[in-house]
Amino acid sequence: MRGLTKRFGSVVALDAVDLTVPSGARFLLAGPNGAGKTTLLSLLLDLVRPTAGIVRVLGLDPVKDGAVVRSCLGYVAEQPAATYGWMTVGDVLRHHAAFRPSWDAAYEVELCQALEIEVRRPFGKLSKGQIRRVELVMALAHAPPLLLLDEPTDGLDPVMRNRVVNLLRAHADRFPTSLLVSTHVIHEVDGLVDHIAVLRQGRCLIQTSRDDLDRCVRHYRVAPGSAPPPGLGRRLVATAVGDDGEPVWTIWGDEAAVRQALMAGGVEVRDASSPTLEQALLAFLAPDDPVAAPLPSPAYGAG
């Protein structure tokens, strides 16, 4: 995606987004409600058209080659499907398979067993969670080169949520697959994803590998009364108060350079700790300033 923009009347859902999902990546798209995540996925599928910018999926233009693009994808939508209510689950799967030459019937059976799906049940009688499990089979059974999953564990109980995440990990290990998953339940995919992007107010705030995120995001506990030095700029992601009442700053950047900048600004650093993926992304999702803007490179002097 380059300069990807989508407006619905006066509402800007996506604002000049630049985003790349590397081939083979297990990519997490995070953001609050209304950030533009579902709109972005819809643009990749040509379900809506961009106002401006360039989109390429597997080297193809979804606007010109929408049918080909969709045939190469496995997609789970945020909202459960409202069609095929008169069919059994097995009929729905056969109907879906007919449009996908790479459908693997043996893998379908394997997935249905793992997800405890009863193929003789009427599809229209399924609960939200049961529909979600069928949709996962529909997305995975043809082993597509790209999976687009919008809240894939929504409606599932905790045991099944854990099973689905493990299933996605096993699927990505077994097949040459790129995975783009959007979810609010960040801790569930902590051990799955290796790339992360954060959308906020329609803008891409940060895009990074998991290794760089783990290396460059720290919680710094500083002396009470400390003021952020100007040299930090937008690398100061969020401020909070720790359990001991002392300020804790979440800062994005090389730790040695950050410590040097803090010392130069007269800030005493009591200690630094590594946040979990969820803690880091919550900091990015709830900054103090009301307008999102892309974060600079973690290396000082690199832009």
Side-chain angles (χ1 to χ4, degrees):
M1 289 153 268
R2 294 291 178 267
L4 185 60
T5 299
K6 178 60 183 178
R7 299 186 182 92
F8 296 97
S10 62
V11 177
V12 181
L14 292 173
D15 187 4
V17 169
D18 292 334
L19 186 66
T20 299
V21 177
S23 179
R26 305 176 187 188
F27 201 105
L28 170 62
L29 185 64
N33 290 331
K37 305 185 300 300
T38 297
T39 298
L40 187 149
L41 296 179
S42 298
L43 287 164
L44 300 182
L45 290 155
D46 192 39
L47 301 179
V48 297
R49 297 283 174 88
T51 304
I54 297 172
V55 186
R56 295 293 181 268
V57 182
L58 302 171
L60 300 171
D61 182 349
V63 174
K64 296 179 180 179
D65 304 299
V68 178
V69 168
R70 288 189 292 274
S71 72
C72 297
L73 301 180
Y75 176 52
V76 173
E78 181 181 20
Q79 297 297 325
T83 55
Y84 311 122
W86 67 94
M87 294 184 180
T88 66
V89 171
D91 291 336
V92 170
L93 293 175
R94 282 190 292 273
H95 174 74
H96 196 72
F99 294 92
R100 288 158 180 83
S102 61
W103 188 272
D104 186 334
Y107 190 38
E108 173 198 326
V109 172
E110 182 182 333
L111 291 169
C112 286
Q113 291 174 344
L115 296 173
E116 299 179 7
I117 292 171
E118 299 178 35
V119 295
R120 295 184 177 86
R121 290 280 306 276
F123 189 77
K125 299 294 185 181
L126 300 184
S127 68
K128 179 180 179 180
Q130 291 168 331
I131 291 174
R132 179 62 89 216
R133 281 143 57 187
V134 175
E135 290 174 333
L136 284 163
V137 175
M138 294 164 68
L140 298 177
H142 60 118
L146 177 61
L147 290 171
L148 303 180
L149 307 179
D150 199 354
E151 300 292 347
T153 62
D154 189 34
L156 303 180
D157 62 63
V159 172
M160 189 56 69
R161 282 174 175 267
N162 185 63
R163 189 177 301 178
V164 165
V165 173
N166 289 334
L167 188 66
L168 292 175
R169 184 184 296 108
H171 180 92
D173 289 340
R174 181 173 174 179
F175 300 102
T177 302
S178 302
L179 171 63
L180 178 58
V181 57
S182 171
T183 180
H184 289 108
V185 192
I186 295 168
H187 71 270
E188 285 187 345
V189 296
D190 194 333
L192 174 65
V193 299
D194 55 22
H195 285 74
I196 295 100
V198 175
L199 287 184
R200 185 165 176 262
Q201 299 179 359
R203 300 178 185 176
C204 186
L205 186 63
I206 184 172
Q207 177 183 183
T208 184
S209 70
R210 178 67 183 274
D211 288 343
D212 280 348
L213 186 78
D214 291 343
R215 180 176 59 85
C216 295
V217 178
R218 293 288 184 273
H219 288 331
Y220 295 86
R221 186 168 60 89
V222 301
S226 299
L232 284 180
R234 287 198 51 78
R235 292 178 177 84
L236 178 61
V237 176
T239 60
V241 177
D243 294 337
D244 56 6
E246 293 192 330
V248 177
W249 298 346
T250 303
I251 301 177
W252 160 254
D254 176 76
E255 183 174 351
V258 168
R259 285 181 176 272
Q260 184 177 0
L262 292 173
M263 289 176 59
V267 177
E268 178 189 349
V269 178
R270 301 291 177 85
D271 64 48
S273 60
S274 299
T276 65
L277 175 64
E278 185 171 37
Q279 289 170 338
L281 294 187
L282 285 175
F284 288 122
L285 293 173
D288 297 329
D289 61 290
V291 179
L295 291 175
S297 164
Y300 279 75

